[in-house]
Amino acid sequence: MATIRNPILPGFNPDPAFCRVGDDYYIATSTFEWYPGVQIHHSRDLVNWRLACRPLNRKSQLDMRGNPDSCGVWAPALTYADGLFWLIYTDVKRRLGNFKDTHNYLVTAPSIEGPWSDPVYMNSSGFDPSLFHDDDGRKWFVNMVWDHRRRRSSFDGILLQEYSPAEQRLVGPIKNIFKGSPLGLVEGPHLWKRNGWYYLTVAEGGTAYNHAVTMARSKTIDGPYELHPDTHLITSKDAPDAPLQRAGHGFYVETSTGEVFHTHLCSRPLPGTRRSPLGRETAIQRVVWKEDGWLYLAQGGQVPALEVEGPDLPPHPFPPEPERHDFDGGELPSPFQWLRTPEPERIFSLSARPGHLRLFGRESIGSWFEQALVARRQTSWTYSAETVVEVQPETYQQLAGLICYYDRARFHYLAVSADDEGRRVLQVISCLGDHPDALMTYALESDLPLPQKGPVHLGVDVRLAELQFRWSEDGVTWIPVGPVLDASILSDEAGPGAHGSFTGAFVGMAAHDMTGRALPADFDFFVYREDASETA
């Protein structure tokens, strides 16, 4: 049997919902403010995975303009029944303060590639929704409920209500079926049924270093639910030296060979730190049913393993993702996403200049509405990225270049701009996440003069917590730009509070034009190359 090496989905891929259809396995993960919404990966052996689709790809399904950082699509749930895929998701419109605006929707499709339907509105009482298809044909909707009063905890338990496919709405009484364990912060519910028992797994402890998968069961779907003998099926909260930290929030699947596995999110902090630029990633653990009717990790204990014995399934590798993308096709290459807007033609084009990705400079960096930023996930502690841009800024309000980005308060930006006389210059702009107003710093004492016309090659090298920008006129001879910067700020943990940020580091291309003239910036290619000798 092949060995599963965790994480199976490296880089920002949290909240993994797990679904099997015949010999095919699918994992749906959260995308937050990145568009299109929801990543669905596909495998046939649980070892090798490929991105199959991002189903929320049009305005009628998802419009996140104005959504704050780390809002948007939270914790999707993917199931299959009645010849359809059923995808439940939340679009979070607010996360700070007492209130959260959490709108839950359902879309369906006959195949994983679609076409995916327009959404059916479900409710807004809380986030992390999931749909369970009972063996009597009834369908049940669960989500955590948010208590804005905060008299005890804002995480007030798991609500259950029946869903009527005929009426396309929730029907019948609403019941709080599970208040969680003493760990608290109960969320991420998933239901399934086995041997007459209803099993419920939830995420608890918050998504930082006390995270856990908690398990409970009941003879009736509406409870009462009894806790697992160990309370938690998977957690690293008591194992500070475990390589997979923040373990929690996942789902159970039985393979076609009768073996059982459970997904979970995790993070890998940089050595000697509590910062994880790769974000919350997806891992998978082999689990076993014991005579007491409960699941346990196959290796024993509760701490997730880096390597797991894979299932007895034929190997099914996929072609590797190319390091270089030349933007020669009519569609954006699959690793790339953009921020919030369902109108991508406003921020980029692959046809305006064939063989190039043209970005139209829009609002300022960090805008929650219309920002021309196209990027891909950082998936290794060590990587190099390169691109080349042709842009003619006329004012310091116009910028374009290479960006390492987490959110509006955490980024490093190697930008081609103009000085007061309109001459092209190179700048290094950072926001270090340590100020509530997201104030920027400039790493260079003075802007670096550039040739006044022609392409500018831009590069970055990231080695653990060190980030070094570089530039070149010809793409052969490179010159370092500025000091070594702190790459660790591009992480959840570098932000305010333990539970305030939920994505991961991206690297890509950006263009900003605060004049409103939408200055075009043409990028000929993008290279992302991991250092195989130093991968995380």
Side-chain angles (χ1 to χ4, degrees), residues 1-5 45-48 261 286 307-316:
M1 296 182 186
T3 298
I4 298 172
R5 290 178 173 81
D45 59 9
L46 303 190
V47 176
N48 301 286
F261 292 85
R286 180 181 279 271
E307 294 192 349
V308 175
E309 180 184 307
D312 186 16
L313 295 171
H316 194 89

Side-chain angles (χ1 to χ4, degrees), residues 3-47:
T3 298
I4 298 172
R5 290 178 173 81
N6 284 315
I8 54 172
L9 305 181
F12 161 49
N13 277 289
D15 310 323
F18 205 2
C19 175
R20 178 173 77 90
V21 182
D23 295 326
D24 294 292
Y25 301 84
Y26 301 97
I27 290 177
T29 55
S30 300
T31 43
F32 293 84
E33 66 262 36
W34 290 91
Y35 211 97
V38 180
Q39 295 216 122
I40 299 180
H41 282 82
H42 168 238
S43 177
R44 294 180 68 88
D45 59 9
L46 303 190
V47 176

